[in-house]
């Protein structure tokens, strides 16, 4: 900090000092006549000038030490938290307030950076997991083609369709995952029949229902709900896919709807292996696979997470109950239409 810069900062004080001394000099000039008035004015101005000059010079060297230490931090690539903590002690209340402001801004930026880095890591982990998952049906398709000798065309087509269906499911999951943040620009609420939506979801995996001899029960689906058809279909599809994965051959998956004063509910209940009580509270967490995901099938742990996030953004909710060895029940909660004004 140069002396001229310091004087520029003190320009209002210097202006006030000059105006005050001019006023005092004028008063003295009209109050005292002759040479005595000039002498008094000269002595007064000289004395006040010395005091003012001493104040400015002393203040300059006092402030210079602070600004010298502060300037050492400029242009250096230091850790932000360390730099804030190592800044010189404030000399005035103004500097104290600025330091508090910088500290708060530093904390806010650190929190935002941490959240961003966490989100980037999560995206990277999902992409890596997704790549490994999608490579499996691709590799399986190659093996089917390499070992096609002696197989009928109908058999090969059927097997390749199964693998293509898996690839399509993984691609769809990645697509919805990438669009979850821009959800608000891509949904349209309308009246939807739960019976039709569930039937469409079952049709997409009909071969697996048949292969595992699992009977879908849809006799109690009578309600109409307000939602977005595309996103709700994906939510139901994820739940049905999970139910099929963890339900043994010959089991059943039941669909029923209920209604109360405040909401409508779609209940999907399977007779599968169930979920361990220790995992039940975390099944909607991003990337969580649990015991079942590690022992019964490879899983990205993203299906129920995406379903939960989409449901919340639509103004719905998901809940889950389960008993190991007996089955799992997933409920989609739909608020009544009069509550949609609160949807953000």
């Amino acid at each position: 900090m140069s002396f001229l810069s310091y004087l520029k900062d003190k320009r209002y004080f210097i202006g006030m000092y000059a105006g005050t001394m001019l006023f005092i000099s004028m008063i003295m000039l009209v109050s005292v006549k002759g040479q005595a008035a000039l002498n008094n004015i000269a002595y007064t101005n000289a004395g006040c000038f010395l005091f003012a000059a001493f104040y400015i010079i002393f203040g300059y060297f006092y402030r210079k030490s602070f600004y010298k230490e502060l300037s050492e931090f400029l242009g250096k690539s230091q850790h932000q938290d360390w730099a804030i903590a190592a800044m010189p002690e404030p000399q005035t209340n103004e500097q104290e307030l600025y330091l508090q402001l910088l500290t708060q801004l530093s904390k806010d930026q650190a929190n935002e950076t941490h959240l961003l880095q966490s989100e980037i890591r999560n995206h990277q982990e999902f992409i890596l997991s997704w790549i490994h998952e999608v490579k499996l049906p691709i590799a399986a398709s190659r093996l089917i083609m390499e070992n096609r000798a002696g197989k009928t065309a109908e058999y090969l087509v059927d097997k390749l369709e199964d693998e293509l269906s898996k690839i399509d499911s993984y691609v769809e999951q990645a697509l919805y995952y990438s669009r979850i943040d821009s959800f608000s620009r891509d949904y349209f609420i309308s009246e939807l029949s739960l019976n039709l939506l569930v039937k469409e979801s079952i049709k997409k995996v009909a071969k697996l229902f048949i292969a595992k001899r699992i009977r879908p029960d849809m006799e109690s689906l009578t309600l109409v709900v307000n939602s977005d058809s595309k996103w709700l279909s994906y939510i139901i599809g994820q739940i049905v896919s999970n139910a099929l994965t963890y339900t043994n051959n010959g089991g059943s998956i039941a669909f029923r709807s209920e209604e109360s004063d405040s909401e409508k509910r779609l209940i999907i209940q399977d007779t599968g292996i169930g979920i361990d009580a220790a995992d039940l509270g975390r099944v909607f967490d991003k990337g969580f696979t649990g015991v079942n995901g590690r022992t019964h099938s490879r899983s990205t742990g993203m299906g129920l997470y995406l379903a939960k996030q989409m449901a919340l953004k639509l103004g719905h909710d998901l809940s889950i109950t389960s008993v190991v060895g007996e089955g799992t029940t997933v409920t989609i909660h739909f608020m009544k239409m009069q509550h949609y004004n609160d949807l953000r």
Side-chain angles (χ1 to χ4, degrees):
M1 179 182 185
S2 67
F3 186 67
L4 289 177
S5 298
Y6 181 74
L7 288 178
K8 184 178 180 181
D9 291 342
K10 290 293 184 179
R11 60 188 179 276
Y12 296 111
F13 168 78
I14 294 173
M16 185 189 69
Y17 165 78
T20 301
M21 293 309 301
L22 179 61
F23 175 75
I24 292 173
S25 298
M26 294 295 294
I27 294 296
M28 293 176 67
L29 186 62
V30 299
S31 298
V32 182
K33 303 296 183 180
Q35 186 64 35
L38 296 177
N39 292 337
N40 290 341
I41 292 172
Y43 294 146
T44 301
N45 277 272
C48 290
F49 177 79
L50 289 175
F51 283 117
F54 176 77
Y55 167 77
I56 290 176
I57 293 172
F58 177 80
Y60 168 70
F61 284 104
Y62 180 66
R63 294 286 188 271
K64 185 178 180 181
S65 61
F66 174 81
Y67 290 114
K68 182 180 179 180
E69 292 181 43
L70 186 62
S71 63
E72 293 177 357
F73 293 94
L74 299 177
K76 293 185 178 180
S77 57
Q78 298 168 325
H79 190 276
Q80 192 175 30
D81 294 337
W82 180 88
I84 293 295
M87 285 181 65
E89 289 295 324
Q91 297 174 339
T92 64
N93 289 332
E94 181 183 19
Q95 292 173 1
E96 174 69 23
L97 290 174
Y98 278 125
L99 183 58
Q100 291 177 5
L101 176 62
L102 286 173
T103 302
Q104 185 61 47
L105 291 174
S106 174
K107 289 180 180 179
D108 292 343
Q109 184 178 6
N111 290 335
E112 291 180 4
T113 300
H114 177 74
L115 291 174
L116 180 60
Q117 290 175 341
S118 177
E119 192 66 25
I120 291 173
R121 283 196 299 270
N122 289 335
H123 277 74
Q124 290 175 336
E125 290 172 1
F126 170 74
I127 293 300
L128 289 175
S129 176
W130 183 86
I131 289 172
H132 287 299
E133 292 295 320
V134 81
K135 284 173 65 177
L136 292 177
I138 294 174
S141 299
R142 287 200 181 100
L143 287 174
I144 291 171
M145 295 305 296
E146 290 173 359
N147 296 279
R148 62 183 181 275
K151 307 291 194 306
T152 65
E154 183 179 353
Y155 172 85
L156 293 174
V157 169
D158 184 64
K159 290 299 181 181
L160 288 174
E161 281 183 349
D162 290 341
E163 300 307 321
L164 284 174
S165 178
K166 293 178 184 178
I167 295 173
D168 181 66
S169 175
Y170 289 131
V171 171
E172 185 182 40
Q173 184 183 79
L175 177 63
Y176 278 96
Y177 180 74
S178 67
R179 297 168 66 183
I180 193 71
D181 291 332
S182 59
F183 171 86
S184 60
R185 299 190 296 271
D186 189 31
Y187 75 91
F188 177 75
I189 302 297
S190 60
E191 287 192 347
L192 303 172
S193 167
L194 289 178
N195 188 278
L196 292 178
L197 285 173
V198 170
K199 283 182 178 179
E200 288 298 320
S201 296
I202 291 175
K203 284 181 182 178
K204 292 179 180 179
V205 287
K207 289 182 64 177
L208 190 54
F209 270 97
I210 296 170
K212 300 189 75 169
R213 302 189 308 280
I214 294 176
R215 178 177 57 86
D217 180 2
M218 298 181 292
E219 294 180 1
S220 300
L221 282 177
T222 58
L223 294 180
V224 173
V225 298
N226 296 284
S227 188
D228 178 87
S229 60
K230 179 177 61 177
W231 295 86
L232 182 57
S233 294
Y234 181 81
I235 294 171
I236 295 173
Q238 287 298 310
I239 299 171
V240 171
S241 177
N242 271 22
L244 280 171
T245 300
Y246 299 114
T247 299
N248 294 323
N249 293 349
S252 67
I253 300 176
F255 303 84
R256 69 179 190 273
S257 57
E258 297 178 350
E259 183 175 10
S260 66
D261 292 338
S262 60
E263 66 176 18
K264 299 177 182 179
R265 294 181 289 273
L266 171 61
I267 301 170
I268 303 173
Q269 185 174 19
D270 64 58
T271 57
I273 60 176
I275 302 172
D276 190 88
D279 292 341
L280 197 57
R282 301 174 60 193
V283 293
F284 296 121
D285 292 350
K286 181 186 290 188
F288 181 74
T289 56
V291 175
N292 292 344
R294 292 188 293 271
T295 59
H296 289 80
S297 67
R298 293 178 59 86
S299 172
T300 60
M302 295 300 294
L304 287 180
Y305 164 77
L306 286 174
K308 178 76 168 182
Q309 295 303 309
M310 291 177 186
L312 293 175
K313 288 179 179 293
L314 285 167
H316 312 326
D317 197 6
L318 291 184
S319 62
I320 187 167
T321 58
S322 185
V323 177
V324 175
E326 295 184 13
T328 299
T329 301
V330 180
T331 303
I332 306 177
H333 304 264
F334 303 90
M335 68 172 68
K336 291 294 183 70
M337 189 62 192
Q338 60 265 28
H339 299 295
Y340 265 90
N341 291 330
D342 299 327
L343 182 60
R344 295 291 184 266

